[in-house]
Amino acid sequence: DADFARSFATATNRLIRDSLRETHRKQVTSDHERRTCKVSQRRRAEEARSINILRQRRYAAQAKQQAGREYRAAATSEARRNDDAQAEFLASTKRQIAHQSAM
């Protein structure tokens, strides 16, 4: 009877210890997975942020280039209009001088 009680207690203790060990292993594994998951999520979020920053910079650079092109085009057409107006003024002045000298 004493041997049976001792072996029963030993077997019960072994089952409890194995169960606790397994529970601890699962807990450690899930903690590790959770931490790893958080790390990878953080890494993905940082990568997405840096991609968005690069994208915003590229859009800003493109907008700046476009604004520069539009400004140069406007300045060129304004200069052309000024040149046309100046040429017209010179031609009319020449006509007036020619008309006055013909009188």
Side-chain angles (χ1 to χ4, degrees), residues 31-61:
D31 286 349
H32 175 70
E33 287 172 353
R34 202 172 314 126
R35 263 197 308 280
T36 306
C37 185
K38 283 182 183 174
V39 167
S40 62
Q41 282 175 341
R42 197 176 312 125
R43 192 175 303 124
R44 278 196 298 273
E46 288 170 2
E47 288 172 1
R49 256 194 308 280
S50 64
I51 288 171
N52 284 338
I53 289 169
L54 292 175
R55 191 174 291 144
Q56 288 170 350
R57 286 182 186 161
R58 187 174 66 235
Y59 289 155

PDB file of all heavy atoms in Angstrom, residues 31-61:
ATOM      1  N   ASP A  31       4.234  34.428 -26.020  1.00  0.00           N
ATOM      2  CA  ASP A  31       4.855  35.734 -25.730  1.00  0.00           C
ATOM      3  C   ASP A  31       5.863  36.090 -26.811  1.00  0.00           C
ATOM      4  O   ASP A  31       5.900  37.215 -27.304  1.00  0.00           O
ATOM      5  CB  ASP A  31       5.557  35.720 -24.365  1.00  0.00           C
ATOM      6  CG  ASP A  31       4.571  35.758 -23.210  1.00  0.00           C
ATOM      7  OD1 ASP A  31       3.372  36.010 -23.473  1.00  0.00           O
ATOM      8  OD2 ASP A  31       5.014  35.542 -22.070  1.00  0.00           O
ATOM      9  N   HIS A  32       6.695  35.102 -27.173  1.00  0.00           N
ATOM     10  CA  HIS A  32       7.710  35.340 -28.210  1.00  0.00           C
ATOM     11  C   HIS A  32       7.045  35.695 -29.536  1.00  0.00           C
ATOM     12  O   HIS A  32       7.455  36.633 -30.215  1.00  0.00           O
ATOM     13  CB  HIS A  32       8.586  34.098 -28.365  1.00  0.00           C
ATOM     14  CG  HIS A  32       9.571  34.217 -29.475  1.00  0.00           C
ATOM     15  ND1 HIS A  32      10.654  35.069 -29.411  1.00  0.00           N
ATOM     16  CD2 HIS A  32       9.639  33.626 -30.683  1.00  0.00           C
ATOM     17  CE1 HIS A  32      11.341  34.980 -30.535  1.00  0.00           C
ATOM     18  NE2 HIS A  32      10.745  34.103 -31.324  1.00  0.00           N
ATOM     19  N   GLU A  33       5.995  34.947 -29.901  1.00  0.00           N
ATOM     20  CA  GLU A  33       5.294  35.233 -31.155  1.00  0.00           C
ATOM     21  C   GLU A  33       4.658  36.615 -31.119  1.00  0.00           C
ATOM     22  O   GLU A  33       4.689  37.351 -32.107  1.00  0.00           O
ATOM     23  CB  GLU A  33       4.223  34.167 -31.415  1.00  0.00           C
ATOM     24  CG  GLU A  33       4.795  32.829 -31.833  1.00  0.00           C
ATOM     25  CD  GLU A  33       3.746  31.735 -31.887  1.00  0.00           C
ATOM     26  OE1 GLU A  33       2.600  31.987 -31.463  1.00  0.00           O
ATOM     27  OE2 GLU A  33       4.078  30.634 -32.349  1.00  0.00           O
ATOM     28  N   ARG A  34       4.099  36.959 -29.975  1.00  0.00           N
ATOM     29  CA  ARG A  34       3.475  38.269 -29.849  1.00  0.00           C
ATOM     30  C   ARG A  34       4.526  39.372 -30.001  1.00  0.00           C
ATOM     31  O   ARG A  34       4.326  40.343 -30.707  1.00  0.00           O
ATOM     32  CB  ARG A  34       2.764  38.380 -28.500  1.00  0.00           C
ATOM     33  CG  ARG A  34       1.686  39.433 -28.491  1.00  0.00           C
ATOM     34  CD  ARG A  34       0.852  39.426 -27.222  1.00  0.00           C
ATOM     35  NE  ARG A  34       0.435  38.078 -26.844  1.00  0.00           N
ATOM     36  CZ  ARG A  34       0.661  37.524 -25.647  1.00  0.00           C
ATOM     37  NH1 ARG A  34       1.240  38.184 -24.704  1.00  0.00           N
ATOM     38  NH2 ARG A  34       0.274  36.308 -25.380  1.00  0.00           N
ATOM     39  N   ARG A  35       5.668  39.184 -29.309  1.00  0.00           N
ATOM     40  CA  ARG A  35       6.745  40.177 -29.422  1.00  0.00           C
ATOM     41  C   ARG A  35       7.259  40.248 -30.845  1.00  0.00           C
ATOM     42  O   ARG A  35       7.454  41.320 -31.399  1.00  0.00           O
ATOM     43  CB  ARG A  35       7.885  39.807 -28.468  1.00  0.00           C
ATOM     44  CG  ARG A  35       7.853  40.544 -27.157  1.00  0.00           C
ATOM     45  CD  ARG A  35       9.176  40.461 -26.441  1.00  0.00           C
ATOM     46  NE  ARG A  35       9.676  39.101 -26.293  1.00  0.00           N
ATOM     47  CZ  ARG A  35       9.275  38.235 -25.362  1.00  0.00           C
ATOM     48  NH1 ARG A  35       8.364  38.590 -24.486  1.00  0.00           N
ATOM     49  NH2 ARG A  35       9.784  37.029 -25.299  1.00  0.00           N
ATOM     50  N   THR A  36       7.480  39.104 -31.456  1.00  0.00           N
ATOM     51  CA  THR A  36       7.975  39.055 -32.828  1.00  0.00           C
ATOM     52  C   THR A  36       6.983  39.716 -33.766  1.00  0.00           C
ATOM     53  O   THR A  36       7.358  40.478 -34.651  1.00  0.00           O
ATOM     54  CB  THR A  36       8.212  37.595 -33.267  1.00  0.00           C
ATOM     55  OG1 THR A  36       9.066  36.979 -32.318  1.00  0.00           O
ATOM     56  CG2 THR A  36       8.843  37.530 -34.629  1.00  0.00           C
ATOM     57  N   CYS A  37       5.708  39.418 -33.542  1.00  0.00           N
ATOM     58  CA  CYS A  37       4.659  40.003 -34.372  1.00  0.00           C
ATOM     59  C   CYS A  37       4.671  41.520 -34.224  1.00  0.00           C
ATOM     60  O   CYS A  37       4.590  42.248 -35.198  1.00  0.00           O
ATOM     61  CB  CYS A  37       3.307  39.426 -33.969  1.00  0.00           C
ATOM     62  SG  CYS A  37       1.958  39.979 -35.015  1.00  0.00           S
ATOM     63  N   LYS A  38       4.793  41.990 -32.973  1.00  0.00           N
ATOM     64  CA  LYS A  38       4.831  43.440 -32.747  1.00  0.00           C
ATOM     65  C   LYS A  38       6.035  44.053 -33.439  1.00  0.00           C
ATOM     66  O   LYS A  38       5.948  45.107 -34.046  1.00  0.00           O
ATOM     67  CB  LYS A  38       4.877  43.746 -31.244  1.00  0.00           C
ATOM     68  CG  LYS A  38       3.554  43.605 -30.546  1.00  0.00           C
ATOM     69  CD  LYS A  38       3.689  43.973 -29.084  1.00  0.00           C
ATOM     70  CE  LYS A  38       2.364  43.764 -28.373  1.00  0.00           C
ATOM     71  NZ  LYS A  38       2.484  43.968 -26.927  1.00  0.00           N
ATOM     72  N   VAL A  39       7.187  43.360 -33.343  1.00  0.00           N
ATOM     73  CA  VAL A  39       8.411  43.875 -33.972  1.00  0.00           C
ATOM     74  C   VAL A  39       8.213  43.965 -35.478  1.00  0.00           C
ATOM     75  O   VAL A  39       8.516  44.980 -36.100  1.00  0.00           O
ATOM     76  CB  VAL A  39       9.625  42.986 -33.622  1.00  0.00           C
ATOM     77  CG1 VAL A  39      10.810  43.311 -34.496  1.00  0.00           C
ATOM     78  CG2 VAL A  39       9.986  43.160 -32.160  1.00  0.00           C
ATOM     79  N   SER A  40       7.660  42.898 -36.075  1.00  0.00           N
ATOM     80  CA  SER A  40       7.481  42.920 -37.526  1.00  0.00           C
ATOM     81  C   SER A  40       6.430  43.947 -37.923  1.00  0.00           C
ATOM     82  O   SER A  40       6.571  44.616 -38.948  1.00  0.00           O
ATOM     83  CB  SER A  40       7.115  41.531 -38.055  1.00  0.00           C
ATOM     84  OG  SER A  40       5.895  41.105 -37.502  1.00  0.00           O
ATOM     85  N   GLN A  41       5.377  44.100 -37.093  1.00  0.00           N
ATOM     86  CA  GLN A  41       4.379  45.133 -37.394  1.00  0.00           C
ATOM     87  C   GLN A  41       5.021  46.514 -37.321  1.00  0.00           C
ATOM     88  O   GLN A  41       4.777  47.364 -38.167  1.00  0.00           O
ATOM     89  CB  GLN A  41       3.228  45.065 -36.389  1.00  0.00           C
ATOM     90  CG  GLN A  41       2.252  43.958 -36.653  1.00  0.00           C
ATOM     91  CD  GLN A  41       1.195  43.856 -35.561  1.00  0.00           C
ATOM     92  OE1 GLN A  41       1.382  44.355 -34.463  1.00  0.00           O
ATOM     93  NE2 GLN A  41       0.097  43.194 -35.865  1.00  0.00           N
ATOM     94  N   ARG A  42       5.848  46.730 -36.296  1.00  0.00           N
ATOM     95  CA  ARG A  42       6.525  48.015 -36.150  1.00  0.00           C
ATOM     96  C   ARG A  42       7.441  48.267 -37.352  1.00  0.00           C
ATOM     97  O   ARG A  42       7.472  49.361 -37.910  1.00  0.00           O
ATOM     98  CB  ARG A  42       7.339  48.010 -34.843  1.00  0.00           C
ATOM     99  CG  ARG A  42       7.732  49.384 -34.389  1.00  0.00           C
ATOM    100  CD  ARG A  42       8.458  49.384 -33.049  1.00  0.00           C
ATOM    101  NE  ARG A  42       7.796  48.580 -32.039  1.00  0.00           N
ATOM    102  CZ  ARG A  42       8.383  47.597 -31.354  1.00  0.00           C
ATOM    103  NH1 ARG A  42       9.639  47.298 -31.562  1.00  0.00           N
ATOM    104  NH2 ARG A  42       7.710  46.913 -30.457  1.00  0.00           N
ATOM    105  N   ARG A  43       8.166  47.219 -37.757  1.00  0.00           N
ATOM    106  CA  ARG A  43       9.068  47.347 -38.895  1.00  0.00           C
ATOM    107  C   ARG A  43       8.281  47.678 -40.164  1.00  0.00           C
ATOM    108  O   ARG A  43       8.659  48.562 -40.933  1.00  0.00           O
ATOM    109  CB  ARG A  43       9.858  46.052 -39.083  1.00  0.00           C
ATOM    110  CG  ARG A  43      11.013  46.194 -40.052  1.00  0.00           C
ATOM    111  CD  ARG A  43      11.870  44.934 -40.135  1.00  0.00           C
ATOM    112  NE  ARG A  43      12.397  44.548 -38.851  1.00  0.00           N
ATOM    113  CZ  ARG A  43      12.213  43.350 -38.270  1.00  0.00           C
ATOM    114  NH1 ARG A  43      11.514  42.421 -38.887  1.00  0.00           N
ATOM    115  NH2 ARG A  43      12.719  43.065 -37.093  1.00  0.00           N
ATOM    116  N   ARG A  44       7.148  46.967 -40.355  1.00  0.00           N
ATOM    117  CA  ARG A  44       6.317  47.245 -41.539  1.00  0.00           C
ATOM    118  C   ARG A  44       5.775  48.670 -41.494  1.00  0.00           C
ATOM    119  O   ARG A  44       5.731  49.359 -42.513  1.00  0.00           O
ATOM    120  CB  ARG A  44       5.166  46.246 -41.623  1.00  0.00           C
ATOM    121  CG  ARG A  44       5.562  44.930 -42.246  1.00  0.00           C
ATOM    122  CD  ARG A  44       4.342  44.124 -42.654  1.00  0.00           C
ATOM    123  NE  ARG A  44       3.484  43.771 -41.542  1.00  0.00           N
ATOM    124  CZ  ARG A  44       3.631  42.696 -40.775  1.00  0.00           C
ATOM    125  NH1 ARG A  44       4.619  41.873 -41.000  1.00  0.00           N
ATOM    126  NH2 ARG A  44       2.799  42.449 -39.784  1.00  0.00           N
ATOM    127  N   ALA A  45       5.362  49.109 -40.308  1.00  0.00           N
ATOM    128  CA  ALA A  45       4.836  50.470 -40.184  1.00  0.00           C
ATOM    129  C   ALA A  45       5.922  51.496 -40.487  1.00  0.00           C
ATOM    130  O   ALA A  45       5.671  52.498 -41.172  1.00  0.00           O
ATOM    131  CB  ALA A  45       4.289  50.694 -38.773  1.00  0.00           C
ATOM    132  N   GLU A  46       7.143  51.249 -39.992  1.00  0.00           N
ATOM    133  CA  GLU A  46       8.244  52.176 -40.276  1.00  0.00           C
ATOM    134  C   GLU A  46       8.560  52.201 -41.769  1.00  0.00           C
ATOM    135  O   GLU A  46       8.807  53.268 -42.344  1.00  0.00           O
ATOM    136  CB  GLU A  46       9.486  51.777 -39.474  1.00  0.00           C
ATOM    137  CG  GLU A  46       9.377  52.055 -37.994  1.00  0.00           C
ATOM    138  CD  GLU A  46      10.515  51.445 -37.191  1.00  0.00           C
ATOM    139  OE1 GLU A  46      11.423  50.834 -37.788  1.00  0.00           O
ATOM    140  OE2 GLU A  46      10.491  51.590 -35.956  1.00  0.00           O
ATOM    141  N   GLU A  47       8.552  51.022 -42.399  1.00  0.00           N
ATOM    142  CA  GLU A  47       8.813  50.969 -43.839  1.00  0.00           C
ATOM    143  C   GLU A  47       7.724  51.724 -44.601  1.00  0.00           C
ATOM    144  O   GLU A  47       8.018  52.472 -45.533  1.00  0.00           O
ATOM    145  CB  GLU A  47       8.877  49.512 -44.307  1.00  0.00           C
ATOM    146  CG  GLU A  47      10.118  48.787 -43.872  1.00  0.00           C
ATOM    147  CD  GLU A  47      10.078  47.292 -44.177  1.00  0.00           C
ATOM    148  OE1 GLU A  47       9.073  46.824 -44.754  1.00  0.00           O
ATOM    149  OE2 GLU A  47      11.050  46.618 -43.835  1.00  0.00           O
ATOM    150  N   ALA A  48       6.478  51.526 -44.194  1.00  0.00           N
ATOM    151  CA  ALA A  48       5.373  52.231 -44.862  1.00  0.00           C
ATOM    152  C   ALA A  48       5.516  53.736 -44.678  1.00  0.00           C
ATOM    153  O   ALA A  48       5.300  54.507 -45.621  1.00  0.00           O
ATOM    154  CB  ALA A  48       4.038  51.759 -44.301  1.00  0.00           C
ATOM    155  N   ARG A  49       5.898  54.153 -43.455  1.00  0.00           N
ATOM    156  CA  ARG A  49       6.096  55.583 -43.212  1.00  0.00           C
ATOM    157  C   ARG A  49       7.208  56.140 -44.095  1.00  0.00           C
ATOM    158  O   ARG A  49       7.055  57.190 -44.711  1.00  0.00           O
ATOM    159  CB  ARG A  49       6.451  55.819 -41.736  1.00  0.00           C
ATOM    160  CG  ARG A  49       5.307  56.370 -40.919  1.00  0.00           C
ATOM    161  CD  ARG A  49       5.771  56.916 -39.580  1.00  0.00           C
ATOM    162  NE  ARG A  49       6.573  56.000 -38.791  1.00  0.00           N
ATOM    163  CZ  ARG A  49       6.086  54.998 -38.052  1.00  0.00           C
ATOM    164  NH1 ARG A  49       4.790  54.799 -37.992  1.00  0.00           N
ATOM    165  NH2 ARG A  49       6.883  54.211 -37.372  1.00  0.00           N
ATOM    166  N   SER A  50       8.333  55.417 -44.175  1.00  0.00           N
ATOM    167  CA  SER A  50       9.442  55.922 -44.977  1.00  0.00           C
ATOM    168  C   SER A  50       9.070  55.942 -46.459  1.00  0.00           C
ATOM    169  O   SER A  50       9.430  56.870 -47.184  1.00  0.00           O
ATOM    170  CB  SER A  50      10.709  55.096 -44.748  1.00  0.00           C
ATOM    171  OG  SER A  50      10.521  53.773 -45.192  1.00  0.00           O
ATOM    172  N   ILE A  51       8.291  54.939 -46.906  1.00  0.00           N
ATOM    173  CA  ILE A  51       7.836  54.934 -48.303  1.00  0.00           C
ATOM    174  C   ILE A  51       6.922  56.130 -48.551  1.00  0.00           C
ATOM    175  O   ILE A  51       7.036  56.815 -49.575  1.00  0.00           O
ATOM    176  CB  ILE A  51       7.124  53.600 -48.627  1.00  0.00           C
ATOM    177  CG1 ILE A  51       8.159  52.484 -48.708  1.00  0.00           C
ATOM    178  CG2 ILE A  51       6.328  53.706 -49.917  1.00  0.00           C
ATOM    179  CD1 ILE A  51       7.551  51.099 -48.797  1.00  0.00           C
ATOM    180  N   ASN A  52       6.022  56.406 -47.592  1.00  0.00           N
ATOM    181  CA  ASN A  52       5.125  57.558 -47.750  1.00  0.00           C
ATOM    182  C   ASN A  52       5.901  58.858 -47.773  1.00  0.00           C
ATOM    183  O   ASN A  52       5.592  59.759 -48.560  1.00  0.00           O
ATOM    184  CB  ASN A  52       4.089  57.593 -46.619  1.00  0.00           C
ATOM    185  CG  ASN A  52       3.001  56.558 -46.814  1.00  0.00           C
ATOM    186  OD1 ASN A  52       2.778  56.096 -47.938  1.00  0.00           O
ATOM    187  ND2 ASN A  52       2.337  56.196 -45.751  1.00  0.00           N
ATOM    188  N   ILE A  53       6.926  58.963 -46.923  1.00  0.00           N
ATOM    189  CA  ILE A  53       7.750  60.184 -46.910  1.00  0.00           C
ATOM    190  C   ILE A  53       8.445  60.352 -48.254  1.00  0.00           C
ATOM    191  O   ILE A  53       8.448  61.444 -48.830  1.00  0.00           O
ATOM    192  CB  ILE A  53       8.769  60.129 -45.748  1.00  0.00           C
ATOM    193  CG1 ILE A  53       8.036  60.290 -44.413  1.00  0.00           C
ATOM    194  CG2 ILE A  53       9.838  61.200 -45.900  1.00  0.00           C
ATOM    195  CD1 ILE A  53       8.904  59.992 -43.196  1.00  0.00           C
ATOM    196  N   LEU A  54       9.026  59.264 -48.770  1.00  0.00           N
ATOM    197  CA  LEU A  54       9.696  59.342 -50.070  1.00  0.00           C
ATOM    198  C   LEU A  54       8.709  59.716 -51.171  1.00  0.00           C
ATOM    199  O   LEU A  54       9.003  60.528 -52.050  1.00  0.00           O
ATOM    200  CB  LEU A  54      10.366  58.007 -50.403  1.00  0.00           C
ATOM    201  CG  LEU A  54      11.557  57.624 -49.520  1.00  0.00           C
ATOM    202  CD1 LEU A  54      12.049  56.227 -49.868  1.00  0.00           C
ATOM    203  CD2 LEU A  54      12.676  58.630 -49.687  1.00  0.00           C
ATOM    204  N   ARG A  55       7.514  59.123 -51.110  1.00  0.00           N
ATOM    205  CA  ARG A  55       6.487  59.423 -52.106  1.00  0.00           C
ATOM    206  C   ARG A  55       6.097  60.903 -52.033  1.00  0.00           C
ATOM    207  O   ARG A  55       5.985  61.576 -53.060  1.00  0.00           O
ATOM    208  CB  ARG A  55       5.270  58.535 -51.861  1.00  0.00           C
ATOM    209  CG  ARG A  55       4.254  58.567 -52.972  1.00  0.00           C
ATOM    210  CD  ARG A  55       3.147  57.567 -52.739  1.00  0.00           C
ATOM    211  NE  ARG A  55       3.656  56.209 -52.873  1.00  0.00           N
ATOM    212  CZ  ARG A  55       3.254  55.172 -52.143  1.00  0.00           C
ATOM    213  NH1 ARG A  55       2.327  55.325 -51.234  1.00  0.00           N
ATOM    214  NH2 ARG A  55       3.757  53.984 -52.327  1.00  0.00           N
ATOM    215  N   GLN A  56       5.910  61.421 -50.801  1.00  0.00           N
ATOM    216  CA  GLN A  56       5.557  62.834 -50.641  1.00  0.00           C
ATOM    217  C   GLN A  56       6.659  63.734 -51.174  1.00  0.00           C
ATOM    218  O   GLN A  56       6.394  64.745 -51.831  1.00  0.00           O
ATOM    219  CB  GLN A  56       5.290  63.151 -49.167  1.00  0.00           C
ATOM    220  CG  GLN A  56       3.994  62.577 -48.659  1.00  0.00           C
ATOM    221  CD  GLN A  56       3.856  62.697 -47.150  1.00  0.00           C
ATOM    222  OE1 GLN A  56       4.807  63.041 -46.458  1.00  0.00           O
ATOM    223  NE2 GLN A  56       2.674  62.405 -46.637  1.00  0.00           N
ATOM    224  N   ARG A  57       7.911  63.366 -50.901  1.00  0.00           N
ATOM    225  CA  ARG A  57       9.036  64.168 -51.418  1.00  0.00           C
ATOM    226  C   ARG A  57       9.055  64.166 -52.938  1.00  0.00           C
ATOM    227  O   ARG A  57       9.301  65.191 -53.564  1.00  0.00           O
ATOM    228  CB  ARG A  57      10.362  63.627 -50.876  1.00  0.00           C
ATOM    229  CG  ARG A  57      10.600  63.958 -49.432  1.00  0.00           C
ATOM    230  CD  ARG A  57      11.931  63.431 -48.983  1.00  0.00           C
ATOM    231  NE  ARG A  57      12.111  63.619 -47.560  1.00  0.00           N
ATOM    232  CZ  ARG A  57      12.988  62.961 -46.827  1.00  0.00           C
ATOM    233  NH1 ARG A  57      13.779  62.072 -47.388  1.00  0.00           N
ATOM    234  NH2 ARG A  57      13.083  63.187 -45.538  1.00  0.00           N
ATOM    235  N   ARG A  58       8.792  62.973 -53.514  1.00  0.00           N
ATOM    236  CA  ARG A  58       8.799  62.881 -54.984  1.00  0.00           C
ATOM    237  C   ARG A  58       7.668  63.727 -55.567  1.00  0.00           C
ATOM    238  O   ARG A  58       7.872  64.453 -56.536  1.00  0.00           O
ATOM    239  CB  ARG A  58       8.656  61.416 -55.408  1.00  0.00           C
ATOM    240  CG  ARG A  58       8.832  61.232 -56.906  1.00  0.00           C
ATOM    241  CD  ARG A  58       8.846  59.780 -57.327  1.00  0.00           C
ATOM    242  NE  ARG A  58       7.561  59.164 -57.086  1.00  0.00           N
ATOM    243  CZ  ARG A  58       7.382  58.054 -56.369  1.00  0.00           C
ATOM    244  NH1 ARG A  58       8.393  57.437 -55.826  1.00  0.00           N
ATOM    245  NH2 ARG A  58       6.171  57.553 -56.204  1.00  0.00           N
ATOM    246  N   TYR A  59       6.463  63.654 -54.948  1.00  0.00           N
ATOM    247  CA  TYR A  59       5.352  64.472 -55.423  1.00  0.00           C
ATOM    248  C   TYR A  59       5.679  65.959 -55.299  1.00  0.00           C
ATOM    249  O   TYR A  59       5.375  66.744 -56.195  1.00  0.00           O
ATOM    250  CB  TYR A  59       4.079  64.159 -54.642  1.00  0.00           C
ATOM    251  CG  TYR A  59       3.480  62.808 -54.937  1.00  0.00           C
ATOM    252  CD1 TYR A  59       2.676  62.174 -54.002  1.00  0.00           C
ATOM    253  CD2 TYR A  59       3.710  62.155 -56.138  1.00  0.00           C
ATOM    254  CE1 TYR A  59       2.119  60.930 -54.254  1.00  0.00           C
ATOM    255  CE2 TYR A  59       3.162  60.917 -56.397  1.00  0.00           C
ATOM    256  CZ  TYR A  59       2.372  60.305 -55.458  1.00  0.00           C
ATOM    257  OH  TYR A  59       1.820  59.075 -55.717  1.00  0.00           O
ATOM    258  N   ALA A  60       6.301  66.335 -54.180  1.00  0.00           N
ATOM    259  CA  ALA A  60       6.659  67.738 -53.978  1.00  0.00           C
ATOM    260  C   ALA A  60       7.667  68.184 -55.037  1.00  0.00           C
ATOM    261  O   ALA A  60       7.549  69.280 -55.597  1.00  0.00           O
ATOM    262  CB  ALA A  60       7.233  67.945 -52.583  1.00  0.00           C
ATOM    263  N   ALA A  61       8.652  67.335 -55.329  1.00  0.00           N
ATOM    264  CA  ALA A  61       9.647  67.674 -56.348  1.00  0.00           C
ATOM    265  C   ALA A  61       8.983  67.797 -57.721  1.00  0.00           C
ATOM    266  O   ALA A  61       9.291  68.723 -58.487  1.00  0.00           O
ATOM    267  CB  ALA A  61      10.743  66.601 -56.383  1.00  0.00           C
TER     268      ALA A  61
END
